[in-house]
Amino acid sequence: MNINTALVAGLLGGALTLAAASDASAQASLEAGNPIEGAIDFHVHSAPDAFARNISDIDVAELAARRGMRAIVLKNHITMTADRAALVQQVVPDIEVFGGVVLNKAVGGLNPAAVEVMANMSGSRGKVVWLPTRDAQHDIATFHKPGEGIRVVENGQVTPETEAVLAKVKEFDLVLQTGHVSPEETLAVISKAKEMGIDKIAVTHAMADVPGLSIEQMKRAAADGAVLELDFLNHLMGPDAHLEWMQEWSRISISEMADAIKEVGADHFILATDLGQSGNPIHPDGYETLVRGLEAEGISRADIEKMMKDNPARLLGLDGTS
Ligand SMILES: [Zn+2]
């Protein structure tokens, strides 16, 4: 049984932590301390949602807090998460809970008003603006979905609608996440954002099919000040994935992620899970597997701490290292 199968079996068995602990590597991890102490997960899906999720906002926050994590960022493709993050924060004070808004069609697409209300939501937990994900033209073309998607760049120029969104990101000092737009769009938006003085930029699961940045493109994004997000979910994908929808995505193994870190430098990455789908492992288990996998691929503990603590903390305005 490989580690992915073990995690999934653990989940299906319903006794996640115990089942994972029976796995040799997880046992070793319990003996070796907690590798995700102080970690920040920048990409957390949870219920309520219109898609099948394996855990609620409150439960994932409690679980992450119990596992010693410092912060989570709630992400939802169709509705803002700044308001629910504020409620979760009240219920679970032992971890920082953040949210934001993904600019898909359900909130009006590239809609500056959606960004503004998110940023003004009481509780001040709204920090992140994602460009279109499932509704991005690049996503629709890549996964052969019907219809027309949203483009953030046309004829090589960042569109006026996108620029209006970037202006709100700057005004409220938010984090710009690039979503599922194409590599060319990603790079154009990053350089426009930089030009506009935005200094908190992350490329959403940079190596996944959407956006699908090459190593060279990752280096260019990093040179323009963006950090690159690496997500455990992508390691579980590919033609042999245990869930059918995940078979359409390319697998980005932890080993490939480690190679990218060695090429581009740990200063330019953040770690995350992108977990929460029914049938997948729970976020902290995925995070732990990612961290142990990177260590096994020769990434130093110091570099892992940068990617799971320092770099995401800077984006979220959290002080220093935890
Ligand atoms: Zn996601």
Side-chain angles (χ1 to χ4, degrees):
M1 185 182 277
N2 68 32
I3 191 143
N4 297 342
T5 324
L7 278 167
V8 171
L11 175 75
L12 296 177
L16 242 196
T17 316
L18 289 178
S22 69
D23 180 76
S25 61
Q27 189 57 47
S29 91
L30 290 175
E31 286 159 13
N34 177 11
I36 57 168
E37 179 80 43
I40 296 172
D41 189 344
F42 225 98
H43 197 144
V44 169
H45 291 286
S46 43
D49 202 346
F51 309 101
R53 300 301 181 197
N54 60 5
I55 192 166
S56 75
D57 296 354
I58 292 172
D59 287 345
V60 71
E62 282 181 343
L63 184 61
R66 278 205 299 278
R67 297 281 285 268
M69 293 176 65
R70 186 182 193 194
I72 57 172
V73 180
L74 303 177
K75 179 185 178 202
N76 188 295
H77 291 291
I78 52 168
T79 183
M80 82 151 86
T81 49
D83 47 357
R84 48 208 274 179
L87 285 172
V88 177
Q89 188 67 80
Q90 235 178 58
V91 179
V92 191
D94 297 336
I95 185 168
E96 299 273 359
V97 184
F98 297 103
V101 66
V102 185
L103 299 177
N104 281 325
K105 290 177 181 174
V107 299
L110 297 163
N111 177 9
V115 175
E116 181 154 352
V117 293
M118 184 281 289
N120 284 329
M121 186 54 56
S122 58
S124 304
R125 307 314 296 178
K127 295 267 189 189
V128 185
V129 174
W130 288 268
L131 295 178
T133 56
R134 305 168 62 92
D135 294 334
Q137 177 55 32
H138 181 59
D139 187 286
I140 284 173
T142 302
F143 298 116
H144 314 290
K145 300 190 291 192
E148 188 70 12
I150 302 168
R151 289 183 171 83
V152 296
V153 171
E154 268 164 23
N155 307 317
Q157 297 293 316
V158 172
T159 64
E161 293 78 13
T162 309
E163 221 175 303
V165 162
L166 296 181
K168 289 294 173 196
V169 170
K170 170 68 184 162
E171 180 184 343
F172 292 101
D173 195 21
L174 302 169
V175 180
L176 176 69
Q177 274 261 5
T178 55
H180 293 188
V181 305
S182 71
E184 295 71 27
E185 287 177 296
T186 301
L187 293 173
V189 164
I190 290 169
S191 83
K192 173 59 82 178
K194 184 187 175 195
E195 188 188 307
M196 292 171 70
I198 296 169
D199 61 356
K200 302 183 181 80
I201 311 172
V203 180
T204 309
H205 39 59
M207 299 180 76
D209 300 293
V210 287
L213 265 55
S214 66
I215 294 280
E216 274 323 300
Q217 288 166 330
M218 284 195 274
K219 284 183 179 168
R220 282 173 52 195
D224 264 351
V227 296
L228 307 149
E229 183 187 278
L230 297 176
D231 292 75
F232 177 67
L233 175 64
N234 296 113
H235 173 80
L236 300 180
M237 288 173 153
D240 297 326
H242 62 285
L243 299 177
E244 207 179 319
W245 67 269
M246 282 166 52
Q247 296 169 5
E248 293 173 47
W249 292 63
S250 305
R251 179 173 195 237
I252 312 296
S253 68
I254 290 175
S255 156
E256 288 166 88
M257 296 183 205
D259 289 344
I261 294 164
K262 289 170 193 168
E263 274 285 320
V264 183
D267 287 342
H268 307 293
F269 287 91
I270 58 174
L271 302 183
T273 65
D274 197 2
L275 289 170
Q277 306 80 16
S278 287
N280 269 337
I282 297 287
H283 311 66
D285 282 345
Y287 209 121
E288 176 166 343
T289 307
L290 173 60
V291 165
R292 292 201 172 280
L294 291 174
E295 282 180 318
E297 293 289 339
I299 305 298
S300 72
R301 186 67 204 174
D303 279 350
I304 284 171
E305 302 256 322
K306 269 186 200 169
M307 299 185 290
M308 75 172 197
K309 294 182 179 176
D310 305 354
N311 300 343
R314 179 186 74 78
L315 294 180
L316 293 168
L318 298 170
D319 51 344
T321 52
S322 51

